[in-house]
Amino acid sequence: FIIIFSDCVISSGMFSTSFSLPCRNLLGVEVKVHVSFFILLVFEFLLCLRFIHDYPLFSALVIILYGPILLATVLIHEWGHVYISRRLLGEDAVTEVVLWPLGGYTYCDRISITEELSEPAEGVQLTTDLKIALVGPLMHVPMSLFWVGMYAAINLGDMSEFTFRMYFTIISRDLAGFLSTLFEQSCLMNILLMWFNIFVPAYPLDGGRLVASTILLLAGVALNKTAFLTCLVTLLISLALFAWSIASFFDGV
């Protein structure tokens, strides 16, 4: 659903419904946050409302995890795209970064393919696009290690209870239990985001860009055919994920 909705956001020009973050000194570009970026936070919060009376700290954990931590995670992911884009294309290559339901979207002026649609694209531009698309997801590796380190620090190096499952009793036990669960879930979120961005070949995810550039680079397929294949794959994956999410919701998976 989010992939389909996000494609509609791009095509409809809804990015105008956004506000800017004071992150220019950090990323060096203007960072805009679309209001739809907070869909996941609202959805997760609504789901946890049924536990708010018995386990109020669980609701607090959800707000922190899908609020400031997710926001910082996406910003660091996009910083990876911005950094490598400037290294390969020049300091003024990136114009702005927009945060939206699928994470972030980095606008880059200097990586455009202008050949005829019926001809293969140039390998240099495609190699550059592959590098830019790959660096963002790889930023989740050090972020995952950071949260593992935070967990080890709060538990004095004891990793025996490290798990990606959430237990209400541990969250509500004490501050160490709350922080331990928060750090575990932050690590898991980074692992899932890296996997999702690399291995889900749906445009405009990084995985979709990686697949499209690889098809153009290795197979020499024409631009129009590659665009058609990318759109088709994105549609099929979107429908499959939507069907899986509906089935999981009703089956309690």
Side-chain angles (χ1 to χ4, degrees), residues 187-204:
C187 177
L188 175 62
M189 181 172 65
N190 274 278
I191 293 173
L192 293 177
L193 286 174
M194 181 178 67
W195 182 91
F196 188 73
N197 274 278
I198 293 180
F199 296 107
V200 177
Y203 190 87

Side-chain angles (χ1 to χ4, degrees), residues 10 12 21 32 34 65 102-103 115 133 151 168 183 185 192 195 226 241 247:
I10 291 180
S12 63
L21 284 178
K32 296 181 179 179
H34 191 267
L65 181 64
L102 287 182
E115 289 83 356
Y151 179 93
F168 293 143
F183 297 155
Q185 293 304 308
L192 293 177
W195 182 91
T226 302
L241 289 176

Side-chain angles (χ1 to χ4, degrees), residues 61-237:
L61 185 144
V62 168
I63 293 174
I64 296 173
L65 181 64
Y66 293 101
I69 290 182
L70 179 59
L71 179 62
T73 300
V74 174
L75 283 174
I76 295 174
H77 176 116
E78 294 307 313
W79 179 84
H81 289 310
V82 172
Y83 174 79
I84 193 64
S85 297
R86 288 176 168 173
R87 288 292 302 270
L88 297 176
L89 302 172
E91 287 296 321
D92 58 344
V94 179
T95 57
E96 66 178 8
V97 172
V98 177
L99 305 187
W100 61 317
L102 287 182
Y105 203 87
T106 300
Y107 285 89
C108 187
D109 277 345
R110 295 188 180 177
I111 184 162
S112 59
I113 302 173
T114 57
E115 289 83 356
E116 293 295 329
L117 293 178
S118 59
E119 298 295 333
E122 290 185 2
V124 175
Q125 287 278 35
L126 296 173
T127 302
T128 300
D129 191 47
L130 282 171
K131 294 177 181 178
I132 294 174
L134 188 59
V135 168
L138 291 180
M139 297 298 293
H140 294 289
V141 174
M143 284 192 280
S144 298
L145 295 176
F146 169 80
W147 293 115
V148 171
M150 292 295 292
Y151 179 93
I154 200 68
N155 290 279
L156 303 178
D158 183 11
M159 303 292 293
S160 60
E161 295 185 1
F162 186 88
T163 178
F164 290 140
R165 296 179 64 88
M166 281 197 286
Y167 296 97
F168 293 143
T169 53
I170 295 179
I171 295 173
S172 305
R173 184 180 60 194
D174 51 22
L175 179 60
F178 178 86
L179 292 178
S180 295
T181 303
L182 180 63
F183 297 155
E184 290 168 345
Q185 293 304 308
S186 298
C187 177
L188 175 62
M189 181 172 65
N190 274 278
I191 293 173
L192 293 177
L193 286 174
M194 181 178 67
W195 182 91
F196 188 73
N197 274 278
I198 293 180
F199 296 107
V200 177
Y203 190 87
L205 295 178
D206 293 321
R209 292 175 55 200
L210 290 170
V211 170
S213 296
T214 301
I215 293 174
L216 288 165
L217 185 63
L218 299 181
V221 180
L223 287 172
N224 55 353
K225 294 182 179 179
T226 302
F228 174 77
L229 290 174
T230 302
C231 291
L232 180 60
V233 170
T234 300
L235 177 61
L236 294 176
I237 291 177

